Amino acid sequence: MRRDSRGMESLPVIIMIGAILAAGTVSIGIEAISRAQRMSSQRRAIESFNLFVEQSCILCAGGLGDSRLVDIELGDGLIVLKGNIVQLLIGGTVRSEVLPLPILASENELRSGIYLLRVCREGSGFFIKVERA
């Protein structure tokens, strides 16, 4: 009988230790899921940026009037246009590329959405014009 009574006294302690371990495991799991979602969002933004740069380079090799539709998904990021330089910003600069032709838009910052890229001519120079579709 004595052995059974000691087991009953230690049961609340065991339950409390189990609850503490479970809470710690759940908090670690939630943080891991949150980190995976952030990384997935950043990866989609980088892939969209790479697609934007790739389509811009293809247009640079084409002729006057050529156009492409590009669907970019940047999440919290944005693409900054500065002449021939295109930058992806998510917090700080994540990626940067130099294009053969200058790229112009009504706003120098692009967010998620569908954009029309078109090769245009002004004077004796060519450039890529970006418009929201």
Side-chain angles (χ1 to χ4, degrees):
M1 220 50 195
R2 193 166 188 160
R3 193 178 244 171
D4 291 337
S5 65
R6 272 193 267 164
M8 290 302 288
E9 290 174 0
S10 64
L11 184 63
V13 173
I14 292 171
I15 291 174
M16 186 172 56
I17 291 172
I20 291 171
L21 289 173
T25 303
V26 168
S27 65
I28 290 170
I30 290 172
E31 177 61 30
I33 290 171
S34 175
R35 179 174 291 192
Q37 288 174 339
R38 283 193 308 266
M39 293 303 289
S40 175
S41 174
Q42 184 175 9
R43 187 173 352 161
R44 281 194 306 271
I46 290 171
E47 288 173 1
S48 289
F49 175 77
N50 289 339
L51 176 67
F52 181 82
V53 170
E54 176 184 306
Q55 294 300 317
S56 298
C57 288
I58 289 171
L59 282 176
C60 291
L64 183 63
D66 285 351
S67 63
R68 300 267 180 176
L69 272 178
V70 179
D71 185 5
I72 55 177
E73 183 182 341
L74 301 173
D76 294 335
L78 61 111
I79 294 176
V80 177
L81 309 173
K82 298 177 183 176
N84 290 37
I85 300 172
V86 182
Q87 295 178 325
L88 172 63
L89 302 177
I90 304 174
T93 301
V94 176
R95 301 203 80 147
S96 184
E97 294 286 337
V98 178
L99 300 176
L101 292 177
I103 190 161
L104 301 173
S106 58
E107 296 180 12
N108 290 334
E109 295 179 351
L110 305 179
R111 305 224 179 250
S112 296
I114 300 173
Y115 291 91
L116 175 66
L117 308 176
R118 187 175 339 146
V119 178
C120 298
R121 182 178 185 176
E122 185 177 302
S124 62
F126 292 91
F127 65 94
I128 298 175
K129 185 175 183 180
V130 179
E131 298 172 334
R132 189 175 273 279

